[in-house]
Amino acid sequence: MLHTVNKSPFEKNSLDTCLRLAKSGSEILLLEDGVYAAVKGTVVEQKMLQALSDYSVYALGPDLKARGIEEDRLIDGIEVVGYDGFVDLAASSDRVQSWL
Amino acid sequence: MKFGILVNEGPYQHQASDTAFNFTKAALDKGHEIVRVFFYHDGVNNGTRLTTPPQDDRNIVNRWGELAKEYELDLVVCVAAAQRRGIVDADEAKRHGKDADNIAEGFHISGLGQLIEMGIKADRVMAFGD
Amino acid sequence: MGNGVKKFMYVNRRAPYGTIYALEGLEVVLIGAAFDQDVCMAFVDDGVFQLQKGQDTAESNMKNFSPTYRALGDYDVNKLYVEKESLEQRGMSEDDLLALTYEDEDDDYKEKPSIRIVNREELADLMEQQDIILNY
């Protein structure tokens, strides 16, 4: 199952709720303001490292670029995908949940 | 694969409509089918032709309309949400005694049942919103 | 997926009145009921506030749509899953919620509660069983 999170983890609880309810083995795609959770050295880094042991985590490249986040600042293990990769993730998962 | 696209926020205020557009375009480029794009909540504001963004910015409304023309997409604006927010087509304007309509080319107004039907027909429904 | 029936879950994560998501989300559920799909609702995070009993909008001059939840049972929408953790985080219990019921036609039309309190694992399992999940 693909979960998408589009909220900054510093402002909203969407990421926390996603991590609470996503089953182990799920895919999580961070997009829009959700991509801020992918950055190293923040207060949510530990949470993301923990998440990486249970889930495959992706961040949407165009949204990282728009926000001036270079890929070398991302937490190791988070994979960057484009919109085509987003489509592939949605198509290959059994179902999709957008944590709006 | 058949995708249904749900857009829950208006243009410019939130990135949702941009993300939905980029996803839809990428899906079409990959040969997937878009069953419908359904605009709900403030998303109905994507369907007004009165939008006039600055010259140096994207025109989100026209962009949807052009994509719809190219790929024969079904762009549906929810009637109940549209009535609340003043998005009307010629029929709606006449029915409710309004002096104008503002629906953009390529969009049409229909019922919420179209959202459910989209869910039934599509393999995946992708929701974009706030 | 027998007979073309799909499993729809409507996930409500917003409080009522502050934004329109709860009200318009409910409209989707009521319209969707006519399509004879397998429908359930989940109430997570601030969504649990939608079911708070005693809502009174007289002085705020807004439409009180809380009575509409009572009609859900008549539309065969009778699986309302409320996440236990979300309730507890907000200092609430089942007693704070509307007493929503439906008549079970498979059990001599006995009146049964529509609200089911589930923990996070149970809700996560339920989500994995759905075809379409719509989040407001």
Side-chain angles (χ1 to χ4, degrees):
Chain A
M1 178 157 162
L2 171 65
H3 298 262
T4 67
V5 176
N6 70 338
K7 297 295 186 307
S8 163
F10 309 109
E11 189 195 4
K12 299 271 176 66
N13 66 356
S14 301
L15 178 67
D16 286 332
T17 303
C18 170
L19 296 177
R20 185 171 81 233
L21 291 170
K23 302 279 279 187
S24 186
S26 298
E27 294 81 34
I28 297 174
L29 171 66
L30 306 170
L31 74 160
E32 298 175 0
D33 287 350
V35 298
Y36 290 114
V39 178
K40 271 192 285 212
T42 75
V43 293
V44 300
E45 183 174 6
Q46 275 309 313
K47 192 182 290 178
M48 290 313 295
L49 288 170
Q50 180 67 43
L52 279 161
S53 63
D54 291 328
Y55 312 107
S56 303
V57 183
Y58 304 85
L60 194 63
D63 285 342
L64 290 167
K65 281 188 181 151
R67 289 159 178 78
I69 303 167
E70 296 188 11
E71 290 194 22
D72 60 6
R73 290 175 59 203
L74 300 188
I75 294 165
D76 290 341
I78 294 182
E79 194 181 321
V80 177
V81 295
Y83 287 103
D84 56 339
F86 182 4
V87 171
D88 290 342
L89 282 170
S92 62
S93 303
D94 296 336
R95 57 191 65 77
V96 182
Q97 157 100 333
S98 311
W99 293 98
L100 300 178
Chain B
M1 174 146 296
K2 295 176 184 175
F3 285 105
I5 308 291
L6 174 61
V7 183
N8 287 337
E9 295 298 328
Y12 305 104
Q13 176 81 17
H14 192 281
Q15 200 185 339
S17 185
D18 290 288
T19 306
F21 179 84
N22 289 325
F23 181 93
T24 301
K25 213 165 170 305
L28 290 166
D29 284 346
K30 282 182 161 283
H32 295 296
E33 182 187 335
I34 302 296
V35 172
R36 180 171 294 144
V37 184
F38 192 87
F39 297 88
Y40 196 46
H41 300 304
D42 272 0
V44 298
N45 290 312
N46 284 283
T48 167
R49 67 166 183 268
L50 302 184
T51 301
T52 315
Q55 291 273 328
D56 61 351
D57 200 352
R58 71 243 189 258
N59 188 316
I60 294 179
V61 174
N62 291 353
R63 205 169 57 178
W64 276 118
E66 285 154 16
L67 193 70
K69 198 170 181 185
E70 188 181 348
Y71 290 93
E72 297 182 351
L73 296 183
D74 190 22
L75 305 182
V76 176
V77 174
C78 169
V79 63
Q83 283 175 349
R84 285 191 179 105
R85 294 162 177 89
I87 306 294
V88 286
D89 60 13
D91 286 348
E92 286 285 304
K94 198 174 171 191
R95 186 174 312 133
H96 298 285
K98 304 294 180 185
D99 60 2
D101 65 76
N102 59 350
I103 193 84
E105 197 178 336
F107 291 79
H108 65 272
I109 293 179
S110 190
L112 259 181
Q114 300 280 304
L115 168 58
I116 310 299
E117 193 199 69
M118 178 175 92
I120 293 169
K121 285 185 177 168
D123 299 306
R124 306 277 181 281
V125 171
M126 308 300 296
F128 300 92
D130 188 17
Chain C
M1 254 196 293
N3 308 320
V5 173
K6 280 194 173 183
K7 290 171 83 81
F8 281 70
M9 176 183 267
Y10 301 99
V11 181
N12 296 271
R13 291 182 50 238
R14 319 247 191 175
Y17 309 113
T19 60
I20 199 170
Y21 297 104
L23 189 159
E24 288 190 330
L26 193 52
E27 289 182 347
V28 175
V29 178
L30 293 173
I31 295 288
F35 285 76
D36 293 327
Q37 303 294 301
D38 185 353
V39 173
C40 68
M41 298 174 78
F43 295 85
V44 181
D45 294 337
D46 282 354
V48 301
F49 290 136
Q50 292 179 28
L51 300 175
Q52 168 78 47
K53 63 185 176 191
Q55 295 175 32
D56 179 355
T57 59
E59 290 180 24
S60 58
N61 297 307
M62 289 191 291
K63 178 178 170 180
N64 182 355
F65 59 98
S66 117
T68 312
Y69 292 94
R70 293 190 192 284
L72 287 169
D74 299 333
Y75 286 83
D76 287 330
V77 179
N78 48 41
K79 291 174 284 193
L80 275 58
Y81 301 108
V82 178
E83 194 207 21
K84 187 165 171 278
E85 287 80 354
S86 294
L87 273 182
E88 286 172 353
Q89 281 174 0
R90 287 159 183 76
M92 294 165 72
S93 71
E94 195 169 358
D95 296 339
D96 297 306
L97 307 181
L98 295 165
L100 302 180
T101 57
Y102 72 103
E103 289 177 354
D104 187 351
E105 57 185 30
D106 297 327
D107 190 8
D108 201 22
Y109 293 92
K110 265 189 206 154
E111 205 167 50
K112 296 185 176 179
S114 298
I115 290 180
R116 305 158 198 212
I117 311 291
V118 294
N119 63 33
R120 54 186 274 195
E121 286 85 9
E122 291 169 315
L123 187 55
D125 286 338
L126 286 163
M127 285 177 173
E128 290 285 341
Q129 296 165 17
Q130 306 304 316
D131 295 306
I132 302 289
I133 303 173
L134 292 177
N135 211 303
Y136 297 105

